[in-house]
Each structure stands twice: as C-alpha cells, then as structure tokens.
Amino acid sequence: MRVLVTGGAGYIGSHTVVQLAAAGHEPVVADSHVNSRASVLPRLEELTGTRIESHSFDLRDADKTSALLGEGGFDAVIHFAGLKAVGESSQIPLEYYDNNLGTTFALLRAMDRHGVCRLVFSSSATVYGETDTVPMPEELETRSTNPYGWTKVMQEQILRDVAATGAAQVALLRYFNPVGAHPSGRIGEDPQGVPNNLMPFISQVAVGRRERLQVFGDDYPTPDGTALRDYIHVEDLAAGHVAALQYLQDHPDVPVREWNLGTGHGTSVLEMVAAFEAGSGRAVPYDIVGRRAGDLAAVYADPSRAEAELGWRATRTIEQMCADTWRWQSANPQGYPA
Ligand code: UD1
C-alpha cells in the first residue's frame, strides 16, 4: 500500500515509516516539523534502503493536503500529526483544538475528495480519563481532564461519525506509554525543551544533559509507592500500525474499531529508574517530590482485543526498552542535528 504518514518525522511516526517499508508498503511523509527535525529523513532512507518521499507543510492547509492526496495512488493514511503536551494544552487550549482537529478535518475532506478510505489514527489511553479500572478495556467510556485529551476524544468521535457514513474506514489505536528506540540507535525520541515524559527525562539525566530526575509522588497505593504505567516499546507500537492497516484491508465491512496498544503490565517509576541504570551503566540521581496534578496511581492496558483481532502482541521487555533508549541517547546526546 502507498501510505500517507502525517507526522511521519516524529517519534512514533518515524519508527512506523521504517516498519511500513520493511512490510513492503510505500510510506510518504507529511510533517510540519513544528515538533520534529527534517534531519530524521536521511536516516529513514538509510534504515529502509529506499528513497522516502516527504512533504513539509502544515496539514491544516486543506489545499496542500488535498493536492498531495490528489497526486494519486494512495491506499491509506496513518495520522500521527498533532500537538501532544498535556500541561501546555491547558495554557494554549485553542492551539491544541485548532491544530489537532484542524489537521483531521483537512485530511478527511481530502480523503473524501480523492477516494482514499482507510485511516489509522493515533489515539491515546488518555481517552479513558480518570478511571480506577485496570487493566483498561476498550469498552470504557471516553472522556478527559485536559484539552490535549479532549482533542483525542473529539477526534475519535468525529472519525466514528464519518466512518458511520461509509466515507472512511478507521482504526483508532490507543497507545499506552511509548518508549524505546530503533535498535540501530539512528532514530529515537527527541523532545524539544524540557521533556514532559518520564523516559526521555531519565535518559537525559543519564547522559548528563540534566542533573536529577524528580519522581512525582511515592505515596500511591502501589508496591513501592510510585505510579504504575504500561510502557510499550515504540517498535512494538509501530508494528501495531502495520497490523491495523492490514486488518482494515482484510475487513472492508468493518467501518471503525478501536484497539489498545499496550503490554498489559504496569511498571513503577522507581522500577524504570533501576532498569535504566542497569541497562546504561549510568547513575540516575533522583528526588522524591509531590504528586503531579492529574496523575493516576495505575494505568495499564487490557491488550487482549488487539491480540485476538490484529494478531498483534507487544513482545519487547523493559530491559530492551532501556537498552534501545540508551543506544539512541548516548549516540545522539543532543538529539537530531538542527
Ligand atoms: C502522559 C500524559 C498522557 C499522555 C502521555 C503521552 C499527563 C498527566 N499524562 O502520561 O495524557 O497521553 O503522557 O505519552 O501528563 N514522572 C515522574 N517524573 C517525571 C516525569 C514523569 O515521576 O519527570 C512519572 C509520572 O508521574 C508518571 C510516570 O512517570 O507516574 C509516567 O509519566 P509520563 O511519561 O509523563 O506519562 P503519563 O503520565 O502516563
């Protein structure tokens, strides 16, 4: 399949591009580079051994998006493009709604105009909101506590409504906590500014870019008091997209379906710190500080639907996640070249 990958220069997008090519598909990247580097593209060509067509523009630009799909030959779209920092989304909510919904509107109109039907959407476990239910099955109600999360809930709803008309066929993939990097160490996560998420923060402390990690809370009702999350290797996550794409092609009668992409296991913050220290041989000094507003004690997936229907399962261990993150971080201490 010739596949438009929006946000294809970003963290999860870039890893998915490599796996699409490995599976015999033809990925085409479109990315505004507001939160990614164009210098990832030669590395994608190096890893795939092929030329990767890429386009740099803001996907809210409906004319440009339509012109690209109008080039023809597209069989599907994987839509990663969007803003994703929870805290920032409360400070500039309008930017979040405008970017995340605007790209989806432009894409859906362009797909409709040019007869491209299949869409795999980058959603998040954040759509389960503040729930105590773990593991989390797909049937839980969706809702949010912050604008970023609401954009995911709303985009899911928009896509469901459009799919119900028969105009699109949609896979909603709800990611748990993506970490790790391609085992080559050539591509990985490169957050701009201070990382919001645990793994890039740990790896920047280990490589000496930051002094100490702050552990947000050790008084949760968990074995060591720190919060549990379902960390999933980005390579497993990327494979989930290839599997979902195949499912859409094999099940033209299914208009829309949602799948959790997680391991089903919770790992605590302190377990992750210990695993990273073991994998990197570097110390990760930390301080215990207060809880972060909005955090839950435990978040992990019930991944059984994806296994039953997509034939997909996460196989990579926490040790591999740490080793691969470290290979990327130590070889690229400042991330991608500007
Ligand atoms: C966060 C978002 C979630 C989003 C996801 C994307 C919040 C409240 N949730 O999830 O909506 O979909 O990122 O990947 O922001 N931690 C520390 N110190 C740090 C950073 C994190 O102790 O410097 C802890 C957190 O309290 C949490 C765990 O590490 O217990 C994981 O945090 P993080 O990587 O930010 O992911 P989530 O909070 O699960």
Side-chain angles (χ1 to χ4, degrees):
M1 285 184 252
R2 179 167 157 87
V3 185
L4 175 62
V5 185
T6 78
Y11 173 42
I12 305 170
S14 58
H15 289 80
T16 302
V17 163
V18 173
Q19 291 204 17
L20 285 168
H25 300 300
E26 184 195 347
V28 174
V29 172
D31 198 301
S32 70
H33 300 297
V34 291
N35 197 20
S36 66
R37 302 281 194 192
S39 54
V40 69
L41 291 160
R43 297 189 182 195
L44 294 179
E45 295 190 330
E46 165 198 318
L47 291 175
T48 59
T50 55
R51 193 184 135 1
I52 306 281
E53 183 181 333
S54 84
H55 302 267
S56 177
F57 68 94
D58 187 323
L59 284 134
R60 285 173 294 181
D61 186 327
D63 292 337
K64 286 187 181 156
T65 301
S66 182
L68 177 54
L69 283 184
E71 280 179 8
F74 284 98
D75 302 291
V77 176
I78 305 184
H79 183 27
F80 294 103
L83 301 178
K84 61 168 189 176
V86 174
E88 182 186 63
S89 77
S90 295
Q91 284 143 22
I92 49 169
L94 191 53
E95 286 306 311
Y96 272 69
Y97 288 112
D98 194 43
N99 267 280
N100 292 6
L101 302 187
T103 52
T104 299
F105 293 144
L107 255 184
L108 285 170
R109 287 191 194 283
M111 289 170 65
D112 190 43
R113 181 168 314 154
H114 300 293
V116 182
C117 187
R118 293 179 201 112
L119 178 71
V120 176
F121 178 63
S122 174
S123 189
S124 166
T126 198
V127 301
Y128 297 126
E130 283 187 6
T131 173
D132 294 333
T133 307
V134 280
M136 296 170 171
E138 287 85 353
E139 291 81 9
L140 288 176
E141 231 182 277
T142 63
R143 58 193 160 182
S144 190
T145 53
N146 59 76
Y148 159 75
W150 277 118
T151 70
K152 293 294 181 191
V153 173
M154 290 175 185
Q155 285 176 97
E156 282 201 358
Q157 188 59 44
I158 292 161
L159 292 167
R160 255 186 232 106
D161 291 341
V162 172
T165 70
Q169 193 200 8
V170 178
L172 304 171
L173 302 183
R174 296 175 177 163
Y175 314 152
F176 282 70
N177 292 61
V179 300
H182 189 274
S184 66
R186 295 293 288 158
I187 59 172
E189 184 170 17
D190 180 21
Q192 309 297 302
V194 183
N196 298 299
N197 299 113
L198 179 65
M199 190 62 142
F201 206 105
I202 289 179
S203 65
Q204 290 191 8
V205 171
V207 84
R209 252 174 94 173
R210 303 193 185 272
E211 271 187 14
R212 302 175 78 79
L213 171 73
Q214 294 192 320
V215 174
F216 298 142
D218 69 347
D219 57 350
Y220 286 104
T222 61
D224 66 17
T226 65
L228 304 179
R229 292 293 181 273
D230 188 340
Y231 299 97
I232 174 169
H233 199 299
V234 67
E235 289 279 284
D236 281 327
L237 199 61
H241 291 73
V242 179
L245 202 57
Q246 194 59 49
Y247 179 96
L248 292 180
Q249 189 178 37
D250 295 343
H251 299 80
D253 49 316
V254 176
V256 58
R257 189 82 171 141
E258 48 292 292
W259 291 281
N260 285 336
L261 298 183
T263 66
H265 301 291
T267 301
S268 78
V269 176
L270 291 182
E271 284 172 336
M272 198 52 134
V273 169
F276 201 91
E277 288 183 324
S280 66
R282 297 287 181 100
V284 179
Y286 64 84
D287 300 306
I288 307 278
V289 300
R291 293 183 180 190
R292 183 171 67 179
D295 274 351
L296 296 175
V299 176
Y300 49 93
D302 175 348
S304 54
R305 184 190 285 184
E307 177 156 14
E309 296 180 358
L310 302 179
W312 170 93
R313 191 165 60 83
T315 59
R316 292 161 177 88
T317 62
I318 291 284
E319 286 67 34
Q320 283 171 290
M321 300 179 207
C322 292
D324 290 336
T325 300
W326 180 241
R327 196 173 301 108
W328 151 254
Q329 186 71 73
S330 51
N332 305 270
Q334 302 299 327
Y336 291 107

